[in-house]
């Protein structure tokens, strides 16, 4: 058998995104071990990584990390193409859409906590909307909205604070411009 | 692969650890506080949704799908319905109702216990008797039953 080597050109950006995505996936997997009182209520720790990436490298990188996290994370925990995967995907897409807008909030008044809380609400919004349309075609799912919203508020705030804490450190360590210092 | 944690993230973690204690209040800006307050208010306002299933105010008793009686849920009383194989006894107390006894062999409707929410239903199939709670708002009439 001939050994053939196919080399795909990999940029420094790819490496950096892959590493952040790996960190996010690790958090997803760790979190999957936690018991949840209600399907859909999770801390969403991986979003801390997404927030950090958003603040330091911009929305495009954050979107890559978030979506890679959803796909690869679900593969690792054996949820790929299961209902949970689609719910997570819907949530992630809605969060990213909201973050695309939220990143234009004046930074003087709004920090990562705002972004995190808004994204958390978008996340449950997306999930419940998909669940209503597809999984539970009954308005009964909306009865659970207050519980999901409470979880989003609490975990969104906590994740935002953690991201803000990490980013406060980033002020001391300025972000390495993506392409200059190859994140190797 | 040389590193497990992305270089940028590792720097942040190292720096965050080195900084030591930072009061978390300093991580929140004015807009963050406003947004948190607004979000908390919205969440609190959404809670009545949880109970929209409704308070029941009357019990509807049917035999063979035909209305036998409607009992208001404000006075305690017992009501007997003669069904296909015997007598089903319905008990009403303020805000709730149950099937007290039923001649059915498996006693499912009796074991269901107290019904408290609008549209909850207990069906004593062998005796052809149903007990259903109804709320003030007629908007849930589209559903046969809701279970909690």
């Amino acid at each position: 058998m001939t050994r053939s080597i196919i080399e795909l050109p990999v940029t420094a950006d790819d490496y950096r995104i892959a590493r952040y995505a790996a960190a996010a996936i690790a958090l997803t997997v760790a979190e999957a071990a936690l018991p949840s009182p209600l399907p859909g209520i999770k801390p969403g720790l991986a979003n801390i990584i997404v927030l950090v990436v958003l603040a330091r490298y911009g929305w495009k990188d954050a979107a890559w990390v978030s979506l890679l996290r959803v796909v690869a994370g679900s593969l690792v925990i054996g949820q790929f193409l299961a209902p949970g995967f689609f719910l997570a995907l819907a949530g992630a897409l809605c969060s990213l859409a909201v973050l695309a807008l939220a990143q234009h909030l004046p930074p003087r008044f709004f920090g990562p906590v705002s972004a995190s809380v808004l994204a958390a609400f978008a996340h449950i919004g997306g999930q419940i909307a998909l669940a209503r349309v597809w999984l539970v075609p009954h308005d009964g799912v909306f009865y659970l909205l207050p519980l999901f919203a409470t979880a989003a508020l609490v975990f969104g705030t906590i994740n935002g604070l953690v991201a803000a804490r990490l980013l406060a450190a980033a002020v001391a360590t300025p972000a390495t411009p993506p392409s200059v210092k190859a994140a190797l | 692969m040389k590193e497990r944690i992305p270089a940028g993230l590792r720097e942040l973690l190292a720096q965050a650890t080195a900084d030591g204690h930072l009061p978390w209040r300093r991580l929140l800006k004015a807009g963050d506080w406003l947004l948190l307050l607004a979000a908390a208010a919205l969440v609190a306002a959404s809670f009545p949704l949880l109970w929209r299933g409704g308070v029941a105010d009357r019990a509807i008793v049917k035999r063979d799908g035909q209305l036998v009686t409607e009992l208001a849920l404000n006075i305690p009383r017992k009501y007997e319905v003669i069904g296909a194989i015997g007598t089903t006894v319905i008990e009403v107390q303020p805000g709730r109702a149950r099937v007290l006894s039923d001649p059915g062999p498996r006693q499912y409707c009796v074991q269901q216990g107290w019904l408290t929410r609008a549209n909850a239903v207990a069906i004593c199939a062998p005796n052809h008797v149903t007990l259903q709670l109804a709320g003030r708002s007629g908007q849930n009439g589209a559903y046969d039953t809701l279970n909690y």
Side-chain angles (χ1 to χ4, degrees):
Chain A
M1 201 165 131
T2 341
R3 264 187 72 183
S4 69
I5 298 170
I6 301 170
E7 257 191 57
L8 299 171
V10 183
T11 65
D13 286 3
D14 294 339
Y15 277 117
R16 193 185 64 251
I17 288 171
R19 290 221 170 86
Y20 276 104
I25 292 162
L27 287 173
T28 303
V29 173
E31 193 175 84
L34 296 175
S36 164
L38 194 67
I41 292 191
K42 279 193 208 170
L45 299 174
N47 297 320
I48 295 169
I49 306 289
V50 176
L51 289 167
V52 168
V53 172
L54 176 74
R56 300 195 93 197
Y57 306 103
W59 185 82
K60 203 174 144 227
D61 281 25
W64 269 112
V65 169
S66 172
L67 295 175
L68 280 172
R69 195 275 299 178
V70 171
V71 174
S74 71
L75 279 172
V76 175
I77 58 177
Q79 284 270 320
F80 187 56
L81 298 186
F85 164 76
F86 291 105
L87 290 175
L89 186 62
L93 289 173
C94 286
S95 300
L96 286 171
V98 165
L99 284 176
L101 300 173
Q103 63 173 347
H104 298 301
L105 287 171
R108 214 175 136 232
F109 300 110
F110 294 95
V113 177
S114 291
S116 177
V117 169
L118 289 172
F121 278 116
H123 205 282
I124 54 149
Q127 279 186 320
I128 286 205
L130 182 66
R132 170 65 184 84
V133 172
W134 178 44
L135 294 174
V136 190
H138 186 286
D139 285 337
V141 281
F142 294 122
Y143 292 154
L144 295 174
L145 197 63
L147 300 180
F148 287 129
T150 308
L153 180 60
V154 172
F155 293 130
T157 308
I158 293 171
N159 290 345
L161 284 171
V162 175
R165 182 67 186 84
L166 286 173
L167 289 165
V171 179
T173 322
T176 29
S179 45
V180 178
K181 184 190 168 194
L184 290 171
Chain B
M1 206 200 286
K2 287 178 223 149
E3 302 156 355
R4 297 221 169 80
I5 300 178
L9 191 61
R10 207 180 31 181
E11 281 166 27
L12 290 190
L13 286 169
Q15 188 67 42
T17 321
D19 286 352
H21 184 69
L22 182 70
W24 61 268
R25 252 177 270 107
R26 295 223 336 247
L27 301 170
L28 288 166
K29 298 174 185 174
D32 293 334
W33 281 111
L34 272 178
L35 194 126
L36 281 180
L37 278 177
L42 268 179
V43 169
S46 78
F47 261 86
L49 260 183
L50 257 188
W51 293 287
R52 200 179 59 180
V55 182
D57 65 353
R58 62 192 193 280
I60 297 167
V61 182
K62 288 182 181 172
R63 194 198 156 205
D64 292 315
Q66 304 295 313
L67 182 71
V68 174
T69 187
E70 279 196 16
L71 307 166
L73 288 191
N74 45 15
I75 347 159
R77 62 177 292 187
K78 286 183 185 143
Y79 188 84
E80 295 187 357
V81 198
I82 295 159
I85 58 168
T87 305
T88 299
V89 182
I90 311 281
E91 182 178 8
V92 170
Q93 280 189 3
R96 57 185 194 166
R98 68 171 170 178
V99 178
L100 186 63
S101 70
D102 180 72
R106 281 170 290 276
Q107 301 285 303
Y108 289 134
C109 58
V110 178
Q111 282 170 28
Q112 237 178 302
W114 290 104
L115 308 181
T116 54
R117 305 189 71 151
N119 299 307
V121 65
I123 301 169
C124 303
N127 207 21
H128 300 197
V129 172
T130 64
L131 164 68
Q132 183 172 16
L133 300 195
R136 258 163 294 246
S137 59
Q139 62 181 5
N140 283 326
Y143 311 123
D144 290 337
T145 179
L146 294 174
N147 288 295
Y148 303 96

